[in-house]
Amino acid sequence: MSFRLRVLAVVVLVAVTATAVTAWVTLEQASRQVSESATAEREQVALITSRITEYGRTHGTWEGVADAVYQLGVETGQRIRLTTEFNEVVVDTDHLAGRSARDVSTLPVPVNPRPTLQLSPDLRTEQALAEATLLEIDSYRSGVLFAACLTRSYVAVTAVDGPNGVPRYLPASTADPYGVVRACRGQSTVEDILRREDAAQVSRCTEFTVSPIEPAITPDGRVQDRLDPLALVESAQGSPPLFELSTAARQTLVRCLATIFANRISQDNFAPVPLLVYVGADDEEPLSAGPILLAAALVAALAAAGALLVSRRVVRPIRALTAASYRLGKGDLSERVPVIGRDELADLARSFNRMADSLQRGEERQRRLVADVAHELRTPLANLRGYLEALKDGVVSPDPELFASLHEEAVLQQRIVDDLQDLALAEAGTLVYHRSQVDLAELLETCRAAHQAVAEAAGVRLEASADQPGCVEADPDRLRQVLGNLVSNALRATPAGGSITLGAGRDRGLAVITVADTGTGIQPSDLPYVFDRFWRADPARGRETGGSGLGLAIARQIVTDHGGTISVASTPGQGTTFTIRLPTGPAGAAAAEA
């Protein structure tokens, strides 16, 4: 917003606020009388709780209940909140609607979708009751696992009543084209150890709740005075004992078995946990005293604050810019001014800071370049000087090996100077590029052929593979220079028996070139510095093995000038991968030129 509009907005704000505050006081008083009821209607609460209970009973899990609760909220117009018994929020329609949760004003209604064991009156013997209990525990566990699996797979589930009050779960449709139902059945088995624990618990129940009775005679003639837990697990192959319980003993045993059933299905979170349902919200906010006086004071404060803001907003930035310009002119290139707002004064402050940043970066680059060049040339030139002085004094003899060493040292210095010149031109934006259509597969093959002899001499396998060949608009010579630097570095880092792979492909509309080796890798702490000038992972490496230290810096600048990016990923002891991403069309080349 411009400064002129800001002044106008302040004046308008004062006038509008005076009217708005007065209206607010009136509307606040009226809104208290028409605000929504804090307590939901009894019929709606019953509907909401029954639908939520049915969801948990049918699906065997609370997963996906948020959609059902949201639909209930839309249908009833009520705010619904589900929490666990420990007050952990499961779903809140306020959150689903993207608003802050309001306070609840009603007592919670408990919702428990777990079934209650209701053993059939036809079961009159101790073993028949125990076997039925174990069957229902096992059936319910596998059933809720099956229903939960179908729910997660977006398959509709149907729950039908079982013979003892425990539901059975079936898919709503018999069609299973994707094998989801079959897969879910395979995932809903219960471990035998749980069944044995169930049998042991049921056996304890029969042991301590049933009055003493006569021993039972099994079909094979054995006397069985109590139920064997392992026999209960495999009871389908046997027959119940040949006696019936009295009415009182049966009632006691049924109550105990129902308790065992409830405890066992709650183990290991097989059954959905009971929840608490809150319906409605308390939207009322207390009124502050003296609203009329508060409104008048607010209008006066806004008027004073607006006038103060305008005056300070104009004077303070100008003073800060004047002081910063003076210190910048005295040589303090670290001076910056704060940027506040988005008006013309803020734009002026941002422009000043950009100018100061540019001046500081230029001076830092100049100092760093001078320091780097001095550091890189000092030792080699000292070696040359030492050998020349030794020749002059007759300390060493001028044999061919010495002249070859001096020549190699001079060539290395020339290479450093040439690399510095390329890097300086690239950073200044004056490096000349001759762009054309470059076939990536051909580029990789050319690079592989150029370094094949060196790789074979080092015992390293060098391969090129273009999974998705394509073309980019680029300077082929500069791209070969980039790949040459990367392959040379990889050859120095890869021991004999290793491999280097050149790859090309596409990713989201970009051409991707990779150079991956199985060498020594780079430490994670060194990765941020690999593209810095004169950086080496091993400071002890000499120039004859470590290069000029400028290759990766030049490679990054060339790739950047082509509108692309270069990145590195490495694992120590396993290898390093450099990835180049370049735009594929003329539009990307034009953007790089800009």
Side-chain angles (χ1 to χ4, degrees), residues 404-455:
S405 176
L406 294 177
H407 179 267
E408 183 180 352
E409 195 72 25
V411 169
L412 180 58
Q413 304 319 303
Q414 182 64 43
R415 178 185 172 189
I416 295 176
V417 172
D418 291 342
D419 286 346
L420 282 171
Q421 184 180 17
D422 286 346
L423 185 58
L425 291 175
E427 289 182 343
T430 57
L431 189 63
V432 178
Y433 294 101
H434 301 284
R435 300 180 188 272
S436 62
Q437 285 291 322
V438 180
D439 187 287
L440 295 182
E442 182 180 348
L443 177 68
L444 296 185
E445 181 59 28
T446 301
C447 183
R448 185 200 66 77
H451 292 83
Q452 183 64 38
V454 179

Side-chain angles (χ1 to χ4, degrees), residues 3-51:
F3 179 72
R4 182 177 301 173
L5 290 177
R6 188 184 295 272
V7 174
L8 179 61
V10 170
V11 176
V12 172
L13 177 64
V14 174
V16 171
T17 303
T19 304
V21 171
T22 303
W24 172 76
V25 174
T26 303
L27 291 175
E28 183 66 16
Q29 297 293 339
S31 64
R32 292 177 177 276
Q33 301 176 8
V34 297
S35 62
E36 65 178 341
S37 174
T39 305
E41 295 291 338
R42 182 176 303 176
E43 293 80 6
Q44 290 184 331
V45 173
L47 171 66
I48 291 170
T49 54
S50 64
R51 292 269 288 273

